[in-house]
Structures are given as structure tokens and as C-alpha cells.
Amino acid sequence: INRKRCSIMEIVPYNGTTLAFIGDAVMTLWVRELLVSKGYQKPNDLQKLTSKYVSAKAQAYYLTQLIDKNYFDENELEIIKRGRNAQTKTIAKNADVITYRLATGFEAIVGYYHLTNQCGKLEKLWNEVIELGEQ
């Protein structure tokens, strides 16, 4: 799968919810492309398998694993905190508040990498997610 499609948007101080909104879209597209490339075609299978990667529980897991590995630098941790601490009126259907906020932090860093055109970091992060998702 070609991951060379990064955003060309101008860098501005996006809020955590906006970063997470974009990050969610990027993650969903990646996962759907991955599953289709593996030969999945039935909508029910695609939906079930997509949630394995993009659920709040899965994204919170990726984030905590990567933080434990000291994966992120100080600036990236600030972006994650911005997403995690964003005030939203929405709560995930199948996640507690802590899990949901961790997932939002994860989506925020994905959105940040995308909007700031950091294709190499996006690619590296995606590879880590695939590895973590297969465990």
C-alpha cells in the first residue's frame, strides 16, 4: 500500500479535536486499504476487522504501548496531550472515559503528522500499529 499521500495544508495551531478528527479519518482509510489488500471484500467482515484497529480500545492500546517504548519526542507528547485533554461532548459507545481520551490522543498525533506533512513519521507509525495489531 502506498503511504506517500500526505496533506499539503499550511501548518496552523490546530486544536486537539480537529487533529483527532483528521487522525480518525486517516486511520480508517489505512485500515480499510490494508484489509482490502489482504483480500477481504464482505462488508460485514470489513466492518468487524476495521474496528479491531480503529476502536477506542485498540487506539488506546497502541498509544500506551508506544509511550512505554519512548516512541514519541517531547513535542509529539504535547500534541498527544492536546488531543487527550480536548473537551468533547462525545463519548465512545464501547469505551470508558480514560480509554476514549487515550484514543483521542492517538488520533491527534496521526492527524498532526498528516496535516504537517510528516510522511516518514506517518509510515513509521503505521508500521508500528500493524505490528501491534497483529499481536
Side-chain angles (χ1 to χ4, degrees):
I1 296 173
N2 181 2
R3 294 275 152 248
K4 300 295 181 200
R5 292 174 276 158
C6 284
S7 175
I8 55 170
M9 294 181 75
E10 182 180 330
I11 299 172
V12 295
Y14 295 105
N15 67 41
T17 345
T18 301
L19 293 173
F21 176 75
I22 294 296
D24 177 59
V26 170
M27 278 294 300
T28 300
L29 179 60
W30 284 353
V31 170
R32 289 177 180 192
E33 287 177 347
L34 173 69
L35 296 175
V36 169
S37 76
K38 289 185 172 193
Y40 295 100
Q41 293 185 20
K42 293 181 181 175
N44 193 37
D45 293 342
L46 290 167
Q47 189 59 39
K48 263 191 228 175
L49 292 166
T50 296
S51 67
K52 175 185 172 188
Y53 287 90
V54 298
S55 68
K57 183 178 176 182
Q59 291 177 340
Y61 171 74
Y62 305 145
L63 183 63
T64 56
Q65 292 298 304
L66 293 168
I67 288 173
D68 288 349
K69 289 167 54 171
N70 294 314
Y71 182 86
F72 302 105
D73 66 28
E74 203 172 302
N75 179 54
E76 293 164 336
L77 289 171
E78 281 301 314
I79 298 297
I80 290 164
K81 286 178 187 172
R82 191 188 312 172
R84 188 190 67 205
N85 296 335
Q87 296 300 315
T88 62
K89 299 195 189 295
T90 329
I91 303 265
K93 292 178 235 169
N94 301 313
D96 59 59
V97 173
I98 293 169
T99 301
Y100 182 73
R101 289 190 177 215
L102 288 169
T104 304
F106 179 77
E107 290 173 340
I109 195 65
V110 172
Y112 174 77
Y113 287 159
H114 180 77
L115 291 174
T116 57
N117 213 14
Q118 296 186 54
C119 298
K121 287 190 175 189
L122 268 173
E123 180 73 27
K124 187 177 173 192
L125 181 63
W126 176 236
N127 290 330
E128 291 283 340
V129 165
I130 291 172
E131 189 176 309
L132 290 167
E134 292 175 353
Q135 291 179 1

